[in-house]
Amino acid sequence: MNLESRIDEIRARIGSAAARSGRRAEDVKLVAVTKQVEPDVIARAAQYGLCVFGENYAQELRLKQEIINRAVSENVEWHFIGRLQRNKVKYLVGSVALIHSLDTVSAAGEIDRKARAAGVKMPVLVEVNTGGESKGGIEPDALDDFLLKLAELQGVEVSGLMTMPPYFDDPEDARPYFAALRDLRDRLSAKYPDLKELSMGMSGDFEVAIEEGATIVRIGSAIFGNRA
Amino acid sequence: MTQRLILASSSPRRKELLESVGLTIEVINPSADEAMLYDESPGEFASRVAFEKAASVSRGLDSGSVVIGADTIVVVDDIVLGKPMDELDATRMLGLLSGREHHVLTAFSILRPREELLHAEIVRTAVRVGELAASDIEGYIKTGEPMDKAGAYGIQGIGAFMVEGITGSYTNVVGLPVPEVLRALTKLGAVRLFGSDES
């Protein structure tokens, strides 16, 4: 099956899952994860209408972004979805539309400095460790405190939450983790009204995540194949 | 019996390789979808493209013809490097190849008219590239040579500067594994190397 047919299929599955949660396909943003994907393939995806790409490494993101910008006329945006290191923040502010994985005060401070210096507000999601065994993410109990600290940073705009559940063969097993993230957002959104987005669900479990309220899904191998 | 030997490839290097061993060959430019399919391995990808190139040319030919299609890919960490999109992309690719080993795979297919497959084979060569200084990469790209080559280098040209060694077939890296192609064509009765007849 070629790339275009895969994209059609994934979009249809997103649409069906959105309908099952009483929403429309447009309510769910598809981030195509391009880790290990060559620029010529990304360009082809962009020409077919994919317009949001996610990368795990800051420098690789910048390089691919520059190559794609020159190659295609379509407007595309880039999201950073990998482990966020403070010393890589400088590559991201001003280049990416959204950072999905903020989970330290020091990285937040650096984003704030770089964003204010550039005269912008950097949209971020806070990564939450709903699974208990993930390497990154803020513990759910500590989320309110963390959000309070972020609220003081003028250069940082927290627009939602992200989580990465443990891997399961059966995507149904991930459902409680997605539901937990949605509950967290619902409980905290009275206090933090900008907290809207839920970035959750990947190639193996995005339909379950959408049923549980995902507004952003991060899909790589289901579109581009298992490259590595 | 004289058979028309047709190379379904727009690469001048493949034609030169076959001519260098004395074959008379016609070139017809092929068409193929050169994008990797979902869950296609690099080897499957190259084999399919080689077949599609030969098949696209074979459709319009008369029965006395034999068509060779080939596709060469550069593979590093299971990632397939195609031809660079621009100079920045070439810089990126050469950075990926610097100071390590990669593989060059050439798949070839031999067909008779109407897509009748006679032979398919894939040959793999390991290529070791030395550490490339940024200034070397920049200078090499300025020569223009990398821009139309898979993996952004040509071993038979200036790109020789970066190749420390290979394990396996050299002509395979250039674009067509000559001994394997000759062996297949000979077995099929399509050519006779050092033969007494006109081919």
Side-chain angles (χ1 to χ4, degrees), chain A residues 91-164:
Chain A
Y91 299 114
L92 301 175
V93 173
S95 299
V96 304
L98 185 63
I99 294 173
H100 285 231
S101 46
L102 178 61
D103 64 352
T104 63
V105 173
S106 73
E110 184 68 5
I111 293 171
D112 181 49
R113 274 188 291 281
K114 293 282 185 272
R116 281 190 289 122
V120 296
K121 239 172 152 36
M122 179 71 226
V124 302
L125 306 178
V126 171
E127 181 173 353
V128 179
N129 183 4
T130 52
E133 53 190 86
S134 145
K135 274 174 286 196
I138 300 287
E139 296 299 320
D141 291 347
L143 182 59
D144 193 6
D145 280 350
F146 189 64
L147 291 173
L148 259 182
K149 285 186 189 121
L150 298 186
E152 293 164 14
L153 305 175
Q154 309 228 314
V156 178
E157 178 185 308
V158 182
S159 53
L161 305 175
M162 182 273 257
T163 197
M164 234 180 319

Side-chain angles (χ1 to χ4, degrees), chain A residues 75-87:
Chain A
N75 267 328
V76 300
E77 64 180 51
W78 293 79
H79 290 191
F80 181 76
I81 60 173
R83 289 244 60 77
L84 184 62
Q85 290 169 291
R86 188 178 175 281
N87 62 352

Side-chain angles (χ1 to χ4, degrees), chain B residues 27-39:
Chain B
V27 167
I28 300 180
N29 286 346
S31 60
D33 184 352
E34 297 195 38
M36 219 165 158
L37 299 183
Y38 178 73
D39 276 3

Side-chain angles (χ1 to χ4, degrees), chain A:
Chain A
M1 192 184 280
N2 69 16
L3 178 64
E4 288 77 7
S5 314
R6 292 298 300 184
I7 294 171
D8 289 344
E9 187 197 313
I10 295 299
R11 281 177 169 158
R13 287 168 59 188
I14 289 173
S16 306
R20 288 196 294 278
S21 69
R23 295 181 295 158
R24 296 165 306 167
E26 308 88 86
D27 298 329
V28 181
K29 186 174 236 181
L30 167 59
V31 177
V33 179
T34 52
K35 181 187 176 187
Q36 306 270 59
V37 178
E38 285 289 289
D40 55 344
V41 179
I42 302 173
R44 186 162 159 168
Q47 280 152 357
Y48 196 65
L50 287 192
C51 50
V52 189
F53 298 104
E55 275 286 336
N56 290 59
Y57 299 103
Q59 281 131 305
E60 202 172 328
L61 183 154
R62 285 287 296 271
L63 194 50
K64 286 180 177 174
Q65 180 178 44
E66 201 174 335
I67 294 169
I68 298 303
N69 277 348
R70 297 180 193 194
V72 306
S73 54
E74 285 81 1
N75 267 328
V76 300
E77 64 180 51
W78 293 79
H79 290 191
F80 181 76
I81 60 173
R83 289 244 60 77
L84 184 62
Q85 290 169 291
R86 188 178 175 281
N87 62 352
K88 299 293 165 64
V89 163
K90 59 177 179 282
Y91 299 114
L92 301 175
V93 173
S95 299
V96 304
L98 185 63
I99 294 173
H100 285 231
S101 46
L102 178 61
D103 64 352
T104 63
V105 173
S106 73
E110 184 68 5
I111 293 171
D112 181 49
R113 274 188 291 281
K114 293 282 185 272
R116 281 190 289 122
V120 296
K121 239 172 152 36
M122 179 71 226
V124 302
L125 306 178
V126 171
E127 181 173 353
V128 179
N129 183 4
T130 52
E133 53 190 86
S134 145
K135 274 174 286 196
I138 300 287
E139 296 299 320
D141 291 347
L143 182 59
D144 193 6
D145 280 350
F146 189 64
L147 291 173
L148 259 182
K149 285 186 189 121
L150 298 186
E152 293 164 14
L153 305 175
Q154 309 228 314
V156 178
E157 178 185 308
V158 182
S159 53
L161 305 175
M162 182 273 257
T163 197
M164 234 180 319
Y167 175 79
F168 298 106
D169 287 330
D170 182 357
E172 276 303 322
D173 294 338
R175 190 181 292 276
Y177 302 91
F178 298 139
L181 195 72
R182 186 198 57 223
D183 287 345
L184 273 172
R185 181 204 56 188
D186 291 350
R187 270 195 282 134
L188 290 164
S189 59
K191 192 167 170 187
Y192 307 99
D194 291 337
L195 212 61
K196 294 195 174 79
E197 307 293 342
L198 292 175
S199 168
M200 54 189 198
M202 299 178 69
S203 289
D205 55 17
F206 68 89
E207 286 153 306
V208 173
I210 292 170
E211 287 166 11
E212 293 301 328
T215 62
I216 304 174
V217 291
R218 311 180 301 273
I219 300 180
S221 60
I223 294 173
F224 298 112
N226 285 309
R227 287 290 185 263

Side-chain angles (χ1 to χ4, degrees), chain B residues 3-82:
Chain B
Q3 302 217 39
R4 277 173 83 197
L5 264 188
I6 292 160
L7 180 63
S9 170
S10 36
S11 154
R13 297 176 286 278
R14 293 201 179 100
K15 180 166 190 274
E16 285 162 18
L17 281 173
L18 292 175
E19 286 174 343
S20 70
V21 292
L23 300 192
T24 305
I25 192 131
E26 291 172 51
V27 167
I28 300 180
N29 286 346
S31 60
D33 184 352
E34 297 195 38
M36 219 165 158
L37 299 183
Y38 178 73
D39 276 3
E40 203 170 35
S41 72
E44 290 164 348
F45 166 60
S47 301
R48 177 181 57 79
V49 173
F51 176 83
E52 282 180 10
K53 284 179 180 173
S56 72
V57 165
S58 82
R59 282 170 209 133
L61 294 175
D62 50 48
S63 55
S65 320
V66 171
V67 185
I68 307 164
D71 190 53
T72 300
I73 58 173
V74 171
V75 183
V76 58
D77 290 334
D78 283 335
I79 299 172
V80 175
L81 304 185

